[in-house]
Amino acid sequence: MKLRFVLPLVAFFALVGLLWVGLSLDPRALPSPLIGREAPQFDLPELRDPETRFSSEQMLGTPALLNVWASWCVTCRQEHPMLAELRRAGVPVYGLNYKDTRSDALRFLTQFGDPYDAIGFDESGLVGIDWGVYATPETFLMDRNGMIRFKHIGMITPDVIQNEILPLYRKLEAES
Amino acid sequence: MTARHWIPALLCLGALALATPTHLAAGPTAPPSEPLVFETPEQEARYQKLVRELRCTVCQNQNLIESNAPLASDLRRQISLMVKDGAETGEVVDYMVARYGDFVLFRPPVNRTTYLLWYGPVILLVLGLSVLGLVLWRRKSRVTSAPLSADEEERLRRLLDEDRGGQA
């Protein structure tokens, strides 16, 4: 007879647990299928110097960040100082300027500063599709062999830098 | 309408405009798309099926054909190009999954992480039916009483006879 009371109680708590987990997940955080795989290759015109090219191969050799941004993206504006911070910490920061116009993007850099080692100008957004970009800003961390090891969607915060990007970057740096 | 009525109405509209998340679906507005021309009706059908079965990752609850997000229009263009190049449905789906993960599929694949999703409802149904069956079976077994003893039979017959006699 005890079962009669215990069973509904167990069912109730199971449901509460399930909803608790389900509702605390962030539906916008899509796990990237690219993590642990080789970064998609690209060869784009450099944003600041259209005569030169910026290809994915240039990021090989050391661990590096690729930050996808655009001048129309409000969050990118807020995130921008964080990239300079990472640059100061010694992390190579590359940019992928996504679906932007050259003049807007250049104005953005004059206004907010330019922490990038090189910026690919992805006007059509095709390279963005290859990288599975769906909402700017998105930031990828690659190891020296060009393998994607980490992806952050949305704004990089000081917290993300301290707890996620820098520790992983140091670890990748130490890897031979 | 007096000012008392339309000022709050205007405020509400303003709040709505402000509350609309712009940064997520942000992007330059998509250029007006030119009508799609396919070589064969079969290609057109394949395209239509694909843009209905693939999810827009920005808006999440819309498929690619319903969404106005710039990314959705880029993906539609990409798919139409692939279909025109003769890509099979499976190839296009693989292309999308390689970039955006299983999430882009409105019909998720059956694998270890989705067993519960696919078979959960069936398990729940079976579980529910067996509980229902158990309850009904128990109730029935409780109602069926033991056969009457000889004494009780005798008493019952007498009572029935009496009853019949009274009516006559």
Side-chain angles (χ1 to χ4, degrees):
Chain A
M1 259 306 107
K2 279 238 182 79
L3 209 64
R4 238 184 128 144
F5 301 101
V6 173
L7 264 186
L9 209 65
V10 168
F12 172 75
F13 281 112
L15 193 66
V16 167
L18 200 70
L19 292 178
W20 186 276
V21 173
L23 293 175
S24 54
L25 290 175
D26 179 5
R28 296 218 159 256
L30 307 189
S32 173
L34 291 173
I35 288 171
R37 286 216 229 142
E38 208 169 310
Q41 296 193 343
F42 60 80
D43 182 27
L44 287 169
E46 210 322 5
L47 172 73
R48 295 160 299 192
D49 181 9
E51 303 299 310
T52 60
R53 309 286 292 180
F54 169 46
S55 74
S56 47
E57 272 149 45
Q58 283 167 250
M59 298 189 289
L60 297 179
T62 58
L65 273 192
L66 182 75
N67 173 247
V68 184
W69 66 283
S71 65
W72 44 259
C73 155
V74 183
T75 321
C76 300
R77 206 163 297 179
Q78 296 166 331
E79 178 188 63
H80 210 65
M82 294 299 125
L83 297 173
E85 183 75 44
L86 280 162
R87 189 80 193 74
R88 271 196 296 279
V91 182
V93 177
Y94 295 94
L96 182 70
N97 181 235
Y98 177 67
K99 299 196 73 164
D100 214 338
T101 62
R102 183 167 255 127
S103 57
D104 283 349
L106 289 175
R107 197 175 321 122
F108 180 97
L109 293 179
T110 334
Q111 210 172 339
F112 300 104
D114 184 352
Y116 298 106
D117 288 296
I119 305 171
F121 182 45
D122 183 23
E123 195 172 12
S124 63
L126 278 179
V127 171
I129 291 182
D130 263 350
W131 282 68
V133 170
Y134 68 93
T136 50
E138 285 184 18
T139 306
F140 298 84
L141 181 58
M142 285 149 296
D143 64 19
R144 68 184 68 223
N145 303 317
M147 183 97 83
I148 295 182
R149 304 294 285 267
F150 172 77
K151 177 184 182 183
H152 183 76
I153 297 161
M155 190 173 128
I156 298 175
T157 58
D159 198 50
V160 175
I161 292 184
Q162 284 313 318
N163 298 326
E164 295 184 75
I165 297 180
L166 279 184
L168 185 57
Y169 175 77
R170 301 281 176 238
K171 203 181 124 223
L172 294 180
E173 221 181 8
E175 276 176 16
S176 53
Chain B
M1 269 209 303
T2 65
R4 233 173 34 156
H5 289 104
W6 57 260
I7 286 178
L10 273 183
L11 283 177
C12 283
L13 273 179
L16 261 181
L18 283 176
T20 315
T22 45
H23 64 286
L24 286 167
T29 35
S33 48
E34 60 263 42
L36 285 165
V37 186
F38 291 97
E39 281 157 29
T40 62
E42 193 266 322
Q43 281 187 355
E44 162 111 52
R46 194 183 304 157
Y47 170 80
Q48 292 294 345
K49 184 166 177 285
L50 279 163
V51 290
R52 282 180 171 74
E53 278 201 358
L54 294 168
R55 190 200 296 260
C56 164
T57 44
V58 183
C59 12
Q60 305 211 343
N61 292 325
Q62 288 177 310
N63 59 24
L64 289 176
I65 195 82
E66 285 165 348
S67 170
N68 287 321
L71 178 69
S73 99
D74 286 353
L75 291 174
R76 282 197 301 267
R77 189 188 56 207
Q78 192 67 12
I79 291 171
S80 74
L81 290 176
M82 289 179 79
V83 167
K84 278 184 212 168
D85 279 350
E88 291 300 322
T89 309
E91 290 175 63
V92 179
V93 170
D94 288 348
Y95 172 90
M96 293 284 289
V97 170
R99 283 155 182 78
Y100 296 97
D102 286 339
F103 187 81
V104 293
L105 307 173
F106 265 120
R107 204 162 357 130
V110 183
N111 59 32
R112 212 151 18 108
T113 52
T114 55
Y115 279 158
L116 202 61
L117 182 71
W118 277 100
Y119 304 120
V122 179
I123 295 171
L124 273 185
L125 184 72
V126 170
L127 220 65
L129 282 179
S130 29
V131 167
L132 184 72
L134 197 72
V135 167
L136 288 179
W137 176 75
R138 267 176 144 192
R139 186 177 296 172
K140 199 176 151 214
S141 63
R142 206 179 305 149
V143 172
T144 352
S145 43
L148 296 178
S149 67
D151 272 1
E152 284 167 332
E153 269 315 337
E154 176 60 29
R155 219 176 119 220
L156 177 67
R157 208 170 38 78
R158 242 187 297 128
L159 282 170
L160 283 171
D161 281 349
E162 231 171 71
D163 197 37
R164 243 172 253 144
Q167 269 179 6

